[in-house]
Amino acid sequence: MPEQESCVSGSIKLGMPKIKKSAPISKYPLSSTQTGIFFLSQMNHSGLALELCYQLILRGIPDDAALEKALYALEERHPVLKTRFVLDEGKAWQYIVSNQKLNISYYNFLHLTSIERDSKLKQIIQTELEQSFQIFDSPLVHYCLIRYAADRTIILLKVHHLITDGFSFEILHRHFAEFYNQYHKGGTLISSDESTYSDYVCWENELTDTKYYQESKSFWEKTVKPKCDPLELASDFPRPYPRQYTGSIFEQQLDQTSKKQLIHLGIQRSVSLATVLLTALAIVLYKHSGQNDFYIGVVVNGRSNLPQLRNIVGVFSKILPIRLTFDPNMKIGDLLQYVNMQLTESLDHQLYPTHEIINMNSNQKSADFAPLYRVLFNMQQTEKTEIDWDGLKEEQWSKLDANSSMYDLAVHVFDNNECLKLKIEYCTALFTEVTVSYIVRHFKKVLSDISFALDMPIHHFDVLDNNEKELLRQFQSGADFPFHPRPIHVLFEEQAQLYPLANAVVDRGRTWSYQEVNERANALSILLVKRGLKSGDSVMVYCNQSVELVIAFFAVLKAGGCYIPVTADWP
């Protein structure tokens, strides 16, 4: 089942200039989306999160010559695949290489055993996912043609995000089969008069002189200029510096009944399913951060429902920073309408350059954090499309996921005819799988209950499931829990050895790891012993609630003393 581009779109404004065929020129400026990706590519030296790789598996005996001709035809029909990037006086430009050779690698597994084939395939895929394109080198496309077995061929298509997006891969998929069939039957490539990505780039640059551009600029200035602290979800590890892109994926799904319930809610409140899901995500983020003013990056397809763009390969998708500022006493139903308003207004101004929006906010220009938003939301339509290959059967067409994450969390929701599938990409430098599973559990809890809680204030909404509630109830009632024969400071030391960098204390905006707290407690306990503390001595500690109080508590126990907290309020 292929991944499609985001189903969040919006529509084009009236009075906008029409896209028309542009005269060939030696070089083109970058589109607004390309400019943002180019900036990220300069900050992100790993490059892993900026490349897309898809796998195509064909059953049957293919016509190798037709396959190769079809790949050449793809690059002729979509010249953006032959793009080269250059810097001229500090500004990035792009131009098309007319005589670009096919960047393809061939592999033959026919002489290998079944086990050797699987091992070799994993190795090739891992190499493709780990190796980065150098963006100033052409081409930014690589194909792998793998003869896995006599009747099975695997083709890998890897393209830099600077020149393509998810929806473009579906166009490439469809055209690849069409061109193959044409060449396999002895035909030739039919030229096309359709617009190309360079036409879109020229059209987009004309928007700067329109009323729409100025109105959009004013809208985004009002949205992002007021100060907003970055979203800080409770994490397992302190935020690394410099930023790390290691990631993993956690998957779940909602059944058809739950999906129908959410669709009904959307119809009842005149909002889209995407709005309902985004509202639920906002509630979960509020519960896990305590913040009620933050951004969520929402992926939009960027083609603005323009028919001329439906068959153009290029990078159109973009991420809109949707700012949500709400009173925790607001009712859930009112929050739903508010999120819908924020999303709709942002979509109306989606053609304004994203990098210009980011630059409006002077508080977030660090290369170590995602601009404005740290959590991504992407609602996608998925449908099973039958692609015909002459004499072949397509077994699989799928996106290969690299072990990387550009964001703290990226929530992808795939909508098909049966259910909603959740795929959560998360930064493993911040979260463990267990923590992400709790976030997803709470997200599903909100989705299951939101229809029945529209009149409830946000802060009263309970995201805990029954097992978590019971555990909390037992703890608050003083129920007996399993007794640990070892003292608490010993358990803390063990935790510091197992997870030294995990978050132990959050105090006054700073996070302290287990290792930091343990080392400071050790130093203080040594000092207490030197000052004459003996085993069993009582030690009164006068200190406000802070990390220093935690350190003092463990230091007294480590030194063998009896910890006695005192405050000025006690007699």
Side-chain angles (χ1 to χ4, degrees):
M1 186 170 293
E3 291 186 16
Q4 303 289 337
E5 192 65 14
S6 169
C7 62
V8 180
S9 57
S11 59
I12 196 70
K13 290 285 187 179
L14 295 176
M16 301 286 281
K18 294 183 178 180
I19 299 177
K20 55 187 178 182
K21 293 289 289 185
S22 59
I25 54 179
S26 59
K27 61 182 180 181
Y28 301 87
L30 273 61
S31 70
S32 62
T33 305
Q34 284 179 311
T35 301
I37 297 173
F38 180 84
F39 177 68
L40 288 175
S41 70
Q42 298 306 290
M43 295 193 305
N44 171 25
H45 298 295
S46 70
L48 289 175
L50 299 178
E51 293 160 351
L52 304 174
C53 188
Y54 279 68
Q55 176 180 251
L56 172 65
I57 302 179
L58 299 173
R59 177 74 71 176
I61 309 297
D63 181 341
D64 290 341
L67 282 176
E68 189 169 313
K69 287 180 180 179
L71 292 176
Y72 271 110
L74 278 181
E75 297 190 357
E76 288 299 316
R77 176 65 60 86
H78 305 291
V80 68
L81 298 176
K82 300 189 289 184
T83 299
R84 182 191 294 271
F85 291 87
V86 294
L87 282 176
D88 186 1
E89 296 183 354
K91 183 178 180 179
W93 296 82
Q94 57 184 326
Y95 66 93
I96 307 301
V97 180
S98 59
N99 58 346
Q100 176 172 291
K101 294 182 179 180
L102 207 61
N103 186 20
I104 186 169
S105 300
Y106 298 93
Y107 299 92
N108 191 332
F109 290 0
L110 297 182
H111 63 288
L112 301 178
T113 65
S114 177
I115 296 177
E116 290 173 334
R117 290 174 186 175
D118 289 341
S119 176
K120 184 67 174 177
L121 179 61
K122 289 180 182 179
Q123 180 183 345
I124 293 173
I125 290 176
Q126 191 65 28
T127 299
E128 284 298 299
L129 293 176
E130 291 180 352
Q131 286 187 348
S132 304
F133 289 120
Q134 300 300 315
I135 65 171
F136 296 112
D137 293 339
S138 180
L140 296 180
V141 182
H142 185 229
Y143 313 100
C144 288
L145 184 58
I146 305 169
R147 183 56 52 79
Y148 185 86
D151 63 343
R152 194 178 188 195
T153 300
I154 299 175
I155 302 171
L156 305 181
L157 290 81
K158 178 182 176 183
V159 188
H160 199 287
H161 198 13
L162 266 170
I163 58 176
T164 193
D165 56 23
F167 190 83
S168 293
F169 264 95
E170 300 310 317
I171 299 173
L172 292 174
H173 179 207
R174 186 175 70 252
H175 285 179
F176 188 20
E178 290 177 6
F179 297 159
Y180 172 83
N181 294 341
Q182 195 170 346
Y183 284 118
H184 182 61
K185 294 174 181 177
T188 57
L189 177 65
I190 301 174
S191 60
S192 172
D193 293 329
E194 290 184 348
S195 299
T196 62
Y197 191 66
S198 58
D199 299 325
Y200 168 79
V201 172
C202 293
W203 171 81
E204 189 187 57
N205 276 269
E206 295 179 18
L207 297 182
T208 56
D209 298 325
T210 63
K211 180 181 178 182
Y212 168 84
Y213 188 90
Q214 297 304 320
E215 291 177 346
S216 295
K217 180 179 180 181
S218 176
F219 168 81
W220 288 114
E221 283 178 338
K222 292 178 182 178
T223 300
V224 304
K225 279 196 172 182
K227 189 176 187 298
C228 177
D229 292 330
L231 182 65
E232 286 288 357
L233 297 173
S235 61
D236 298 289
F237 312 106
R239 189 172 296 277
Y241 182 89
R243 183 180 172 189
Q244 295 181 17
Y245 297 94
T246 56
S248 188
I249 292 174
F250 185 87
E251 295 182 294
Q252 289 275 289
Q253 74 174 37
L254 295 175
D255 58 29
Q256 193 172 40
T257 302
S258 299
K259 177 186 173 182
K260 288 181 178 179
Q261 179 180 304
L262 296 173
I263 291 175
H264 178 72
L265 172 60
I267 295 173
Q268 185 183 31
R269 293 286 171 147
S270 300
V271 301
S272 66
L273 178 58
T275 299
V276 176
L277 292 163
L278 185 59
T279 302
L281 178 60
I283 294 172
V284 173
L285 296 179
Y286 161 67
K287 293 291 185 177
H288 279 259
S289 68
Q291 296 173 240
N292 60 330
D293 183 11
F294 51 80
Y295 290 93
I296 300 177
V298 176
V299 179
V300 298
N301 66 31
R303 296 172 189 253
S304 304
N305 291 333
L306 282 171
Q308 290 170 279
L309 302 181
R310 297 304 297 173
N311 288 314
I312 297 180
V313 170
V315 52
F316 298 93
S317 65
K318 58 176 62 179
I319 303 171
L320 295 182
I322 308 300
R323 184 167 185 174
L324 301 178
T325 306
F326 52 87
D327 185 337
N329 292 308
M330 178 187 286
K331 292 182 179 180
I332 299 293
D334 295 334
L335 178 66
L336 187 63
Q337 297 300 328
Y338 169 71
V339 171
N340 183 61
M341 180 188 69
Q342 293 295 95
L343 181 59
T344 301
E345 290 183 352
S346 298
L347 287 172
D348 286 342
H349 301 282
Q350 64 176 285
L351 292 177
Y352 192 79
T354 305
H355 66 280
E356 294 288 351
I357 299 173
I358 303 301
N359 290 337
M360 291 175 182
N361 186 285
S362 59
N363 299 316
Q364 302 210 14
K365 292 185 179 179
S366 169
D368 296 302
F369 301 117
L372 294 180
Y373 43 83
R374 292 176 175 175
V375 174
L376 189 78
F377 173 77
N378 185 14
M379 175 81 179
Q380 302 184 50
Q381 294 283 356
T382 60
E383 56 183 16
K384 190 173 183 179
T385 55
E386 296 293 336
I387 301 293
D388 293 327
W389 294 81
D390 195 17
L392 302 172
K393 181 180 179 180
E394 182 175 304
E395 288 190 342
Q396 183 178 338
W397 166 255
S398 60
K399 182 176 180 289
L400 298 176
D401 293 310
N403 294 324
S404 62
S405 177
M406 284 290 295
Y407 308 97
D408 293 2
L409 291 176
V411 180
H412 301 274
V413 183
F414 301 99
D415 180 15
N416 58 33
N417 294 328
E418 298 178 356
C419 63
L420 294 175
K421 293 186 177 181
L422 308 178
K423 184 171 79 170
I424 314 299
E425 294 179 5
Y426 63 95
C427 179
T428 53
L430 293 174
F431 304 104
T432 63
E433 183 177 344
V434 172
T435 297
V436 174
S437 70
Y438 276 107
I439 295 175
V440 173
R441 183 189 301 177
H442 295 161
F443 184 43
K444 294 177 68 176
K445 177 70 162 49
V446 175
L447 291 174
S448 67
D449 294 352
I450 189 171
S451 298
F452 312 104
L454 298 177
D455 293 326
M456 181 183 295
I458 301 169
H459 73 92
H460 285 168
F461 194 98
D462 195 350
V463 300
L464 301 180
D465 61 24
N466 291 332
N467 291 334
E468 292 171 312
K469 289 179 185 178
E470 177 61 22
L471 186 63
L472 184 62
R473 187 195 65 78
Q474 292 178 15
F475 181 79
Q476 292 175 334
S477 64
D480 292 333
F481 284 87
F483 174 71
H484 291 284
R486 290 165 297 168
I488 187 171
H489 64 280
V490 174
L491 296 174
F492 188 88
E493 289 175 349
E494 291 178 355
Q495 191 75 1
Q497 291 177 354
L498 291 173
Y499 307 104
L501 299 181
N503 293 341
V505 179
V506 178
D507 178 31
R508 290 164 288 185
R510 181 187 166 182
T511 302
W512 297 72
S513 68
Y514 278 92
Q515 180 175 306
E516 290 176 302
V517 174
N518 192 54
E519 288 178 349
R520 290 177 180 251
N522 287 340
L524 182 56
S525 68
I526 293 173
L527 180 63
L528 291 174
V529 172
K530 287 183 178 180
R531 295 290 179 89
L533 178 64
K534 297 179 181 178
S535 180
D537 287 351
S538 297
V539 178
M540 291 189 293
V541 178
Y542 176 71
C543 184
N544 294 326
Q545 289 188 352
S546 62
V547 67
E548 288 81 10
L549 180 63
V550 177
I551 292 171
F553 168 74
F554 284 115
V556 170
L557 297 183
K558 286 171 179 280
C562 177
Y563 168 80
I564 302 177
V566 295
T567 72
D569 299 331
W570 292 357

Short mmCIF file of all heavy atoms in Angstrom, two decimals, residues 506-542:
data_model
loop_
_atom_site.label_atom_id
_atom_site.label_comp_id
_atom_site.label_asym_id
_atom_site.label_seq_id
_atom_site.Cartn_x
_atom_site.Cartn_y
_atom_site.Cartn_z
N VAL A 506 13.90 17.85 37.05
CA VAL A 506 13.70 19.08 36.27
C VAL A 506 13.46 20.20 37.27
O VAL A 506 12.53 20.14 38.08
CB VAL A 506 12.50 18.95 35.31
CG1 VAL A 506 12.29 20.26 34.56
CG2 VAL A 506 12.73 17.81 34.33
N ASP A 507 14.31 21.20 37.24
CA ASP A 507 14.24 22.29 38.22
C ASP A 507 14.57 23.62 37.55
O ASP A 507 15.63 23.76 36.93
CB ASP A 507 15.21 22.01 39.38
CG ASP A 507 15.21 23.13 40.40
OD1 ASP A 507 14.15 23.76 40.58
OD2 ASP A 507 16.27 23.39 41.01
N ARG A 508 13.64 24.56 37.66
CA ARG A 508 13.85 25.93 37.15
C ARG A 508 14.30 25.95 35.69
O ARG A 508 15.20 26.67 35.29
CB ARG A 508 14.89 26.66 38.02
CG ARG A 508 14.37 27.00 39.41
CD ARG A 508 15.48 27.37 40.36
NE ARG A 508 16.27 26.21 40.75
CZ ARG A 508 17.26 26.25 41.65
NH1 ARG A 508 17.56 27.38 42.26
NH2 ARG A 508 17.93 25.15 41.93
N GLY A 509 13.63 25.11 34.90
CA GLY A 509 13.89 25.11 33.47
C GLY A 509 15.09 24.30 33.03
O GLY A 509 15.35 24.18 31.83
N ARG A 510 15.82 23.69 33.99
CA ARG A 510 16.97 22.88 33.62
C ARG A 510 16.72 21.42 33.99
O ARG A 510 16.08 21.13 35.00
CB ARG A 510 18.24 23.37 34.33
CG ARG A 510 19.44 22.52 33.90
CD ARG A 510 20.70 22.83 34.66
NE ARG A 510 21.68 21.77 34.43
CZ ARG A 510 22.88 21.72 34.98
NH1 ARG A 510 23.28 22.67 35.78
NH2 ARG A 510 23.70 20.72 34.73
N THR A 511 17.25 20.54 33.15
CA THR A 511 17.11 19.10 33.39
C THR A 511 18.43 18.54 33.90
O THR A 511 19.49 18.81 33.33
CB THR A 511 16.71 18.38 32.09
OG1 THR A 511 15.49 18.92 31.61
CG2 THR A 511 16.54 16.89 32.34
N TRP A 512 18.33 17.75 34.98
CA TRP A 512 19.51 17.12 35.58
C TRP A 512 19.43 15.62 35.34
O TRP A 512 18.40 15.00 35.61
CB TRP A 512 19.56 17.39 37.08
CG TRP A 512 19.70 18.84 37.43
CD1 TRP A 512 18.75 19.81 37.31
CD2 TRP A 512 20.87 19.51 37.93
NE1 TRP A 512 19.23 21.02 37.71
CE2 TRP A 512 20.54 20.87 38.11
CE3 TRP A 512 22.14 19.08 38.26
CZ2 TRP A 512 21.44 21.80 38.58
CZ3 TRP A 512 23.04 20.01 38.75
CH2 TRP A 512 22.70 21.36 38.90
N SER A 513 20.51 15.03 34.87
CA SER A 513 20.54 13.59 34.62
C SER A 513 20.82 12.83 35.91
O SER A 513 21.26 13.40 36.92
CB SER A 513 21.61 13.26 33.58
OG SER A 513 22.91 13.49 34.11
N TYR A 514 20.57 11.52 35.86
CA TYR A 514 20.88 10.68 37.02
C TYR A 514 22.36 10.76 37.37
O TYR A 514 22.75 10.78 38.54
CB TYR A 514 20.50 9.22 36.72
CG TYR A 514 19.04 8.93 36.94
CD1 TYR A 514 18.13 9.03 35.90
CD2 TYR A 514 18.57 8.54 38.19
CE1 TYR A 514 16.78 8.77 36.09
CE2 TYR A 514 17.22 8.26 38.40
CZ TYR A 514 16.34 8.39 37.34
OH TYR A 514 15.02 8.13 37.55
N GLN A 515 23.20 10.80 36.36
CA GLN A 515 24.64 10.85 36.60
C GLN A 515 25.04 12.14 37.32
O GLN A 515 25.83 12.11 38.27
CB GLN A 515 25.38 10.76 35.26
CG GLN A 515 26.90 10.81 35.39
CD GLN A 515 27.59 10.58 34.05
OE1 GLN A 515 27.32 9.58 33.39
NE2 GLN A 515 28.43 11.50 33.65
N GLU A 516 24.48 13.28 36.88
CA GLU A 516 24.83 14.55 37.51
C GLU A 516 24.39 14.58 38.97
O GLU A 516 25.16 15.00 39.85
CB GLU A 516 24.16 15.69 36.74
CG GLU A 516 24.74 15.95 35.36
CD GLU A 516 23.97 17.04 34.63
OE1 GLU A 516 22.75 16.87 34.43
OE2 GLU A 516 24.59 18.05 34.26
N VAL A 517 23.15 14.17 39.22
CA VAL A 517 22.64 14.20 40.61
C VAL A 517 23.45 13.25 41.49
O VAL A 517 23.83 13.59 42.62
CB VAL A 517 21.15 13.83 40.64
CG1 VAL A 517 20.65 13.71 42.08
CG2 VAL A 517 20.34 14.88 39.89
N ASN A 518 23.74 12.05 40.97
CA ASN A 518 24.47 11.06 41.76
C ASN A 518 25.89 11.53 42.08
O ASN A 518 26.37 11.37 43.21
CB ASN A 518 24.50 9.73 41.00
CG ASN A 518 24.99 8.59 41.86
OD1 ASN A 518 24.45 8.34 42.94
ND2 ASN A 518 26.01 7.88 41.38
N GLU A 519 26.56 12.12 41.09
CA GLU A 519 27.94 12.59 41.33
C GLU A 519 27.97 13.72 42.35
O GLU A 519 28.86 13.76 43.22
CB GLU A 519 28.55 13.05 40.00
CG GLU A 519 28.88 11.90 39.05
CD GLU A 519 29.43 12.39 37.72
OE1 GLU A 519 29.36 13.62 37.46
OE2 GLU A 519 29.92 11.55 36.93
N ARG A 520 27.02 14.64 42.29
CA ARG A 520 26.99 15.73 43.27
C ARG A 520 26.62 15.24 44.66
O ARG A 520 27.13 15.74 45.66
CB ARG A 520 26.02 16.82 42.80
CG ARG A 520 26.53 17.58 41.58
CD ARG A 520 25.54 18.60 41.07
NE ARG A 520 26.09 19.28 39.91
CZ ARG A 520 26.49 20.54 39.89
NH1 ARG A 520 26.45 21.25 41.01
NH2 ARG A 520 26.95 21.10 38.79
N ALA A 521 25.71 14.24 44.71
CA ALA A 521 25.36 13.65 46.01
C ALA A 521 26.56 12.93 46.61
O ALA A 521 26.79 13.00 47.84
CB ALA A 521 24.19 12.70 45.84
N ASN A 522 27.35 12.24 45.77
CA ASN A 522 28.56 11.57 46.27
C ASN A 522 29.55 12.58 46.84
O ASN A 522 30.13 12.36 47.91
CB ASN A 522 29.23 10.80 45.13
CG ASN A 522 28.46 9.55 44.75
OD1 ASN A 522 27.65 9.05 45.53
ND2 ASN A 522 28.69 9.05 43.54
N ALA A 523 29.74 13.69 46.14
CA ALA A 523 30.69 14.71 46.59
C ALA A 523 30.24 15.31 47.93
O ALA A 523 31.06 15.51 48.84
CB ALA A 523 30.83 15.80 45.53
N LEU A 524 28.93 15.57 48.04
CA LEU A 524 28.42 16.16 49.29
C LEU A 524 28.49 15.16 50.44
O LEU A 524 28.80 15.53 51.59
CB LEU A 524 26.99 16.64 49.08
CG LEU A 524 26.32 17.32 50.29
CD1 LEU A 524 27.14 18.51 50.77
CD2 LEU A 524 24.89 17.77 49.92
N SER A 525 28.24 13.89 50.17
CA SER A 525 28.30 12.88 51.24
C SER A 525 29.72 12.74 51.77
O SER A 525 29.93 12.58 52.98
CB SER A 525 27.80 11.53 50.72
OG SER A 525 28.69 10.98 49.76
N ILE A 526 30.71 12.81 50.90
CA ILE A 526 32.11 12.75 51.32
C ILE A 526 32.43 13.94 52.23
O ILE A 526 33.12 13.80 53.26
CB ILE A 526 33.04 12.73 50.10
CG1 ILE A 526 32.85 11.40 49.32
CG2 ILE A 526 34.51 12.90 50.51
CD1 ILE A 526 33.60 11.37 48.00
N LEU A 527 31.91 15.11 51.85
CA LEU A 527 32.15 16.30 52.66
C LEU A 527 31.50 16.17 54.03
O LEU A 527 32.09 16.57 55.06
CB LEU A 527 31.59 17.53 51.92
CG LEU A 527 31.75 18.88 52.64
CD1 LEU A 527 33.23 19.21 52.82
CD2 LEU A 527 31.06 19.98 51.85
N LEU A 528 30.30 15.60 54.09
CA LEU A 528 29.61 15.42 55.37
C LEU A 528 30.40 14.50 56.30
O LEU A 528 30.51 14.75 57.51
CB LEU A 528 28.21 14.86 55.14
CG LEU A 528 27.19 15.80 54.48
CD1 LEU A 528 25.90 15.05 54.17
CD2 LEU A 528 26.91 17.00 55.39
N VAL A 529 30.95 13.44 55.76
CA VAL A 529 31.75 12.51 56.56
C VAL A 529 33.01 13.20 57.07
O VAL A 529 33.41 13.04 58.24
CB VAL A 529 32.10 11.26 55.73
CG1 VAL A 529 33.09 10.37 56.50
CG2 VAL A 529 30.84 10.46 55.41
N LYS A 530 33.63 14.00 56.23
CA LYS A 530 34.84 14.73 56.64
C LYS A 530 34.52 15.72 57.76
O LYS A 530 35.38 16.01 58.60
CB LYS A 530 35.44 15.46 55.45
CG LYS A 530 36.14 14.55 54.44
CD LYS A 530 36.78 15.37 53.32
CE LYS A 530 37.53 14.47 52.35
NZ LYS A 530 38.16 15.25 51.23
N ARG A 531 33.29 16.25 57.72
CA ARG A 531 32.88 17.22 58.75
C ARG A 531 32.42 16.54 60.04
O ARG A 531 31.98 17.21 60.97
CB ARG A 531 31.77 18.11 58.21
CG ARG A 531 32.20 19.00 57.05
CD ARG A 531 33.16 20.11 57.50
NE ARG A 531 33.58 20.93 56.39
CZ ARG A 531 32.96 22.02 55.96
NH1 ARG A 531 31.85 22.39 56.56
NH2 ARG A 531 33.45 22.71 54.97
N GLY A 532 32.45 15.20 60.10
CA GLY A 532 32.18 14.50 61.35
C GLY A 532 30.89 13.73 61.41
O GLY A 532 30.53 13.19 62.47
N LEU A 533 30.15 13.63 60.31
CA LEU A 533 28.91 12.88 60.33
C LEU A 533 29.20 11.40 60.53
O LEU A 533 30.01 10.82 59.82
CB LEU A 533 28.14 13.10 59.02
CG LEU A 533 26.82 12.34 58.88
CD1 LEU A 533 25.81 12.79 59.93
CD2 LEU A 533 26.24 12.49 57.48
N LYS A 534 28.48 10.78 61.50
CA LYS A 534 28.64 9.36 61.77
C LYS A 534 27.35 8.62 61.43
O LYS A 534 26.28 9.20 61.36
CB LYS A 534 28.99 9.13 63.24
CG LYS A 534 30.32 9.76 63.64
CD LYS A 534 30.60 9.54 65.12
CE LYS A 534 31.92 10.19 65.53
NZ LYS A 534 32.18 10.02 66.98
N SER A 535 27.46 7.33 61.22
CA SER A 535 26.31 6.51 60.87
C SER A 535 25.23 6.64 61.93
O SER A 535 25.49 6.49 63.13
CB SER A 535 26.73 5.04 60.73
OG SER A 535 25.63 4.24 60.40
N GLY A 536 24.01 6.93 61.51
CA GLY A 536 22.88 7.06 62.43
C GLY A 536 22.64 8.47 62.90
O GLY A 536 21.61 8.74 63.54
N ASP A 537 23.56 9.40 62.63
CA ASP A 537 23.36 10.80 63.04
C ASP A 537 22.21 11.42 62.26
O ASP A 537 22.01 11.14 61.07
CB ASP A 537 24.62 11.62 62.80
CG ASP A 537 25.72 11.30 63.80
OD1 ASP A 537 25.43 10.58 64.77
OD2 ASP A 537 26.85 11.78 63.60
N SER A 538 21.46 12.26 62.94
CA SER A 538 20.38 12.98 62.28
C SER A 538 20.92 14.24 61.62
O SER A 538 21.76 14.95 62.19
CB SER A 538 19.29 13.35 63.29
OG SER A 538 18.70 12.19 63.84
N VAL A 539 20.42 14.52 60.42
CA VAL A 539 20.85 15.71 59.68
C VAL A 539 19.60 16.48 59.24
O VAL A 539 18.77 15.97 58.47
CB VAL A 539 21.67 15.34 58.43
CG1 VAL A 539 22.07 16.60 57.66
CG2 VAL A 539 22.88 14.52 58.80
N MET A 540 19.45 17.68 59.79
CA MET A 540 18.33 18.51 59.40
C MET A 540 18.71 19.31 58.14
O MET A 540 19.78 19.91 58.08
CB MET A 540 17.94 19.46 60.53
CG MET A 540 17.32 18.74 61.72
SD MET A 540 16.63 19.86 62.95
CE MET A 540 18.13 20.64 63.55
N VAL A 541 17.82 19.29 57.16
CA VAL A 541 18.07 19.96 55.89
C VAL A 541 17.01 21.04 55.70
O VAL A 541 15.80 20.76 55.65
CB VAL A 541 18.03 18.98 54.71
CG1 VAL A 541 18.25 19.72 53.39
CG2 VAL A 541 19.10 17.89 54.90
N TYR A 542 17.47 22.28 55.62
CA TYR A 542 16.58 23.42 55.41
C TYR A 542 16.80 23.91 53.97
O TYR A 542 17.82 24.52 53.65
CB TYR A 542 16.89 24.54 56.41
CG TYR A 542 16.06 25.79 56.19
CD1 TYR A 542 14.70 25.80 56.49
CD2 TYR A 542 16.65 26.95 55.72
CE1 TYR A 542 13.95 26.94 56.30
CE2 TYR A 542 15.90 28.10 55.52
CZ TYR A 542 14.55 28.09 55.81
OH TYR A 542 13.81 29.22 55.61
#
